[in-house]
Each structure stands twice: as C-alpha cells, then as structure tokens.
Amino acid sequence: MWFVHELTSWSSDTADPEQFPYDPVLAEFHRAGKHFVKKELLALLDQVRAQVNARTAVARQLSAFLDVALDKWDDRYDYRSYLALPLLPLPTAAACAGRPEGTPADATPAGGPAGRSGAGRPAGPVAQTSGRRERDRLLIDLVADALAFELAAATGATDLFPEQRPGPALVAKRYRLGVRAVRAALTRLGLAGLVDDPDPVAAAVALHRLAGTGRDPARERVLRLSMLPVYVSHDEYLFIRVLQAYECVFAGVAEELRGTITALATARPRRAAARLAYAQELISGTGPLFSLLATMQPTAFRTFREYTDGASAIQSRSYKLMESLCRPPAPDRFDSTAYRSVPEVRDLVRAGQPSIDQAYRTAVRDGLLRGTDHALVRQRMAAFAEAVLTWRRTHHRLAVRMLGARSGTGYTEGTPYLAAVRADPVFTTVSADPGLPRTDPIGGCSE
C-alpha cells in the first residue's frame, strides 16, 4: 500500500500542501470507489487534515479535497460532497452572503476565482462578461472531460472504473450528444467552428483538445480532484460530470436573476429583460445534457446508486437559490425537506433576500415599468418560467425512466416528489408562456 508510505513521508517532512501526494490517494479512491476505500487510508487522511492550516489557496484546496474525500468517514456525505462542489469555482449561496462556499470572508474559492462581484453590488459589464465566460469554460471543461474518459475507455487507454462498459454504438451517441451539449457555450465563446467535424469521434477528440488548450495547472487539478465516484461503474463518471455541469448552469442562472433584480430596482427594464433572456438561454440549453444523461445504462445507474444513499439533487443549493430568487418559497415549501436540506438558502430567505417577483411588483407600483418596457419584461419572465417548467418536466421523465417507483437517495420519496413540484409556479406575478414549444430532449416528442 504505497499510499501509506507517501502520506507518512509527506506528514513527517514539511507537510507542504503544494507537495501533497494527490496521485497515490486518487489512485486508491479510483481503484476501489469512495464507498470501499480502506479504513487505513481514511484514518491517515483524517490525521493529515488536522495538520492543514488553510491560510493559502493551495492549502484551502487541499482542505476542501480532504473534506470531500472523507465525507463518508465523517458521516456527512451529501450531494455537494458527492459532486465535489466545494472544489469547483462556482458562486453559491455562501458566495451570495459575501464569500465563496466553504471559505472564510477573505479567502478565494478552492478551485480559483469564480469571476463575480460581491453580493448586493451590481456587477459591471466587464465583471458580468468575465463571469459568463468563466462559467462557459467550466461547462465545456466538465463535458469535454466526460467525453475524454469515454475516448480513453473505448481505446483501452485507461482501466479506470471498468464495470459495465457501454458498447461502441452507445459511446458514439455520447460523443455526439456531449458536443451538442456545449455547442451554445462554444458559440458564445466564438469557438464553435473548431468543433464541427461530422464524425462523432473526431468531434469529441477536437472538443477535448480545445478544452485543454491553454488550461492552466490549477484548472487541470480541479478536474482531477473533483472526480471521486463511490463505485467503479463506468457510467458514474458521466453521471457526476453531467450533474456538475447542471450546477454550473444553475449558478450562472442565479447570477443572471440577481442582475435582473438589480436592474428592476434601478429603473433599467431593458437590462432586466436582457438578463432574463440570457437566463432562459442557459436553462433551455440544458436539454442536450438531459439527452446525454439519458444514455446512462439503467443497470449501471442502479448499481452505483446503491452506494449514494444520503446524496440527492434535492440538496442542490444552486437550484434552490435560483428558485428563491424568482419568488420567496411558500411556507409549506420553505418548511419542506427540500429547503431544510439547504440551510444557507433558508438563511438568505429569512434575511429578506430580494426576488424578481418582489422587484417586479415594486417597479410596477412605483411607475418604473410602463408601456413597451413593461410588456417586454413580462414576456421575458413568462418565457423564463416556461423554460424552468420544461426543465422540471424533463427531469421527472428521466427520473421515472431510471428509477421507476424507487425512493430517492436524499431521504425523499423519489419520483412522486418530482411529480408533485414540477408544476409549481416559477413566479406568482407572471405565468409561464404556454405558447412556447415544449420539446422533449430525452423522448423525442413534445408534451
């Protein structure tokens, strides 16, 4: 067990976070799956964690990694630790309160700067553009890495997570859908023309190379450290990367909704409409991610799901933040398991976090929204609401396909819960636009 020698040597030497032996630790986690890692290694990592003084960015990253790796050991395993979200440079509920998740007020996120301005302060055009570009880059990194794993497994270049390998036809479908899932982000970055080969394999290779071009070592390390499956099933790699991609999108939508609220409160209806339109584009653009996720083999999903009990998307902070920025949750929703699982978001709501519903009402009351500007904002709110409802319906259908009547892993009833909340109004002031086309990215038909 060479990781024992590596860890003890590191601990007895300088214990420099920059020199931490990530490779042997990751190799053992990948060999067995997080759920089956030997207790000897977990105990050593727990001792190491006590030595880490998280005063530098590198030390904070090590501390975050150890917390993610030891979540089951600590009996605090959940959705965020399963997806290694504290390691990804995402704005979160904690960031809304003025700091990135899991860091002190004067710290930087473990994965690096998230490219956003402080909470409560409207981001300027440069900061707004930078934040959007960084989230697009992260989305591309995550999906490209998922396809890189598929390429490596298909060519025998890796023996990681060997159980239940998919066949060639399914892998080719993943290449095609993965490239499609990031097409909009590539277009926004002006890079779509670099990944346009009609051959799925060539397109996946081009995407992987493009994503890696100019990627600094810090971003490379974030990708490596944020992949800690619970088992050795091939499809869990795809599952984790797609869910991380969704969190990236939700975080971006939340930023756009905050910008919308600020614009409405400062009599800038055109900017509010533009931020809503961009938020709708982000949510609508997740359809191909659902298609990609739907290529998971149900038997593989059910296999690794046996070891994910305690982690569920119901615990997503970014999604609840997005939801609560649209309108304050009703009392029964606020007191539900869904919100009790995200105490940081509950604290924001209790503290009077503004919402689009409230900002819209106030703008109308104060005469800040009139005529064509008022109509435009209503139209964009309705279109955004329909995009969110479409996302919920698709999520429910995919869950039914994969889970059937099985209960959820986050101590919920599973698909019945999704069915119960899928039609909840996004806003109370404006209804969804029923005239928009309803596409089904996983079934190929409209609803």
Side-chain angles (χ1 to χ4, degrees):
M1 291 185 289
W2 65 305
F3 59 79
V4 175
H5 172 72
E6 294 285 341
L7 282 173
T8 52
S9 296
W10 178 84
S11 296
S12 60
D13 194 8
T14 61
D16 179 4
E18 191 73 58
Q19 303 301 319
F20 182 78
Y22 283 111
D23 286 346
V25 173
L26 284 171
E28 182 62 17
F29 270 77
H30 290 169
R31 184 196 66 79
K34 184 194 284 189
H35 190 79
F36 298 95
V37 171
K38 294 181 181 297
K39 291 184 178 179
E40 182 179 5
L41 173 56
L42 298 177
L44 276 173
L45 292 176
D46 196 19
Q47 294 173 20
V48 165
R49 182 170 53 178
Q51 295 179 254
V52 179
N53 190 338
R55 287 187 293 187
T56 66
V58 174
R60 286 192 293 273
Q61 183 178 64
L62 174 56
S63 180
F65 170 75
L66 292 173
D67 283 344
V68 166
L70 292 169
D71 55 358
K72 285 179 174 273
W73 172 266
D74 293 337
D75 196 26
R76 51 172 182 74
Y77 171 75
D78 64 7
Y79 184 71
R80 294 191 311 280
S81 64
Y82 174 53
L83 297 185
L85 295 183
L87 287 161
L88 298 178
L90 297 175
T92 63
C96 301
R99 67 189 190 283
E101 178 181 7
T103 62
D106 61 346
T108 304
R116 66 176 300 275
S117 62
R121 300 190 303 274
V126 173
Q128 175 186 316
T129 301
S130 175
R132 288 176 174 179
R133 291 178 64 87
E134 283 302 302
R135 283 187 292 275
D136 278 342
R137 285 182 59 202
L138 178 58
L139 177 66
I140 292 168
D141 278 349
L142 294 169
V143 175
D145 184 69
L147 297 191
F149 174 67
E150 299 290 343
L151 287 163
T155 57
T158 183
D159 59 359
L160 290 178
F161 319 121
E163 289 199 10
Q164 300 163 306
R165 293 274 197 231
L170 186 55
V171 172
K173 186 176 183 180
R174 289 180 180 178
Y175 296 152
R176 177 173 54 82
L177 293 172
V179 171
R180 183 189 300 173
V182 296
R183 178 71 63 190
L186 289 170
T187 300
R188 288 191 291 266
L189 294 175
L191 301 173
L194 300 179
V195 188
D196 60 357
D197 197 301
D199 177 65
V201 176
V205 170
L207 178 62
H208 174 50
R209 288 175 177 168
L210 176 64
T213 300
R215 184 190 291 152
D216 60 47
R219 292 182 75 94
E220 194 69 48
R221 178 181 282 182
V222 165
L223 283 176
R224 290 175 53 237
L225 301 186
S226 61
M227 178 53 64
L228 292 175
V230 294
Y231 190 54
V232 291
S233 177
H234 176 103
D235 281 9
E236 191 178 359
Y237 201 110
L238 177 72
F239 183 69
I240 288 175
R241 286 302 190 218
V242 172
L243 265 59
Q244 290 170 336
Y246 275 123
E247 290 298 309
C248 179
V249 171
F250 295 150
V253 171
E255 289 293 280
E256 299 304 321
L257 298 183
R258 283 194 210 94
T260 300
I261 292 167
T262 299
L264 288 173
T266 53
R268 292 178 292 173
R270 295 280 169 168
R271 174 167 291 191
R275 299 298 291 262
L276 280 166
Y278 193 83
Q280 180 202 346
E281 178 182 339
L282 292 179
I283 286 290
S284 298
T286 60
L289 282 176
F290 273 124
S291 301
L292 181 58
L293 196 59
T295 67
M296 273 198 313
Q297 302 165 98
T299 53
F301 175 62
R302 289 193 287 269
T303 297
F304 69 76
R305 186 176 178 272
E306 290 295 319
Y307 311 111
T308 62
D309 197 41
S312 168
I314 198 174
Q315 299 160 347
S316 171
R317 292 178 182 175
S318 295
Y319 182 84
K320 296 302 187 309
L321 182 59
M322 179 184 77
E323 179 183 289
S324 64
L325 285 166
C326 292
R327 66 178 177 96
D332 58 339
R333 176 73 169 157
F334 186 73
D335 290 329
S336 68
T337 302
Y339 269 84
R340 290 188 180 280
S341 66
V342 287
E344 297 85 356
V345 179
R346 279 171 59 89
D347 288 346
L348 289 172
V349 173
R350 280 201 188 99
Q353 171 186 259
S355 70
I356 290 179
D357 248 7
Q358 295 164 333
Y360 173 81
R361 284 196 188 95
T362 300
V364 171
R365 183 197 66 198
D366 294 348
L368 302 179
L369 267 183
R370 298 178 180 176
T372 56
D373 286 344
H374 186 183
L376 178 61
V377 169
R378 284 186 64 88
Q379 176 188 353
R380 295 288 168 77
M381 287 175 66
F384 174 78
E386 182 57 37
V388 173
L389 293 179
T390 298
W391 187 93
R392 292 179 189 165
R393 289 189 291 264
T394 308
H395 183 203
H396 172 253
R397 283 196 296 275
L398 182 58
V400 168
R401 174 185 293 187
M402 292 292 178
L403 293 177
R406 295 173 182 82
S407 61
T409 52
Y411 314 115
T412 69
E413 54 186 348
T415 52
Y417 163 79
L418 297 177
V421 301
R422 62 180 168 173
D424 282 359
V426 177
F427 303 111
T428 60
T429 49
V430 176
S431 300
D433 185 351
L436 294 176
R438 298 182 179 183
T439 58
D440 180 358
I442 64 170
C445 60
S446 298
E447 183 183 69

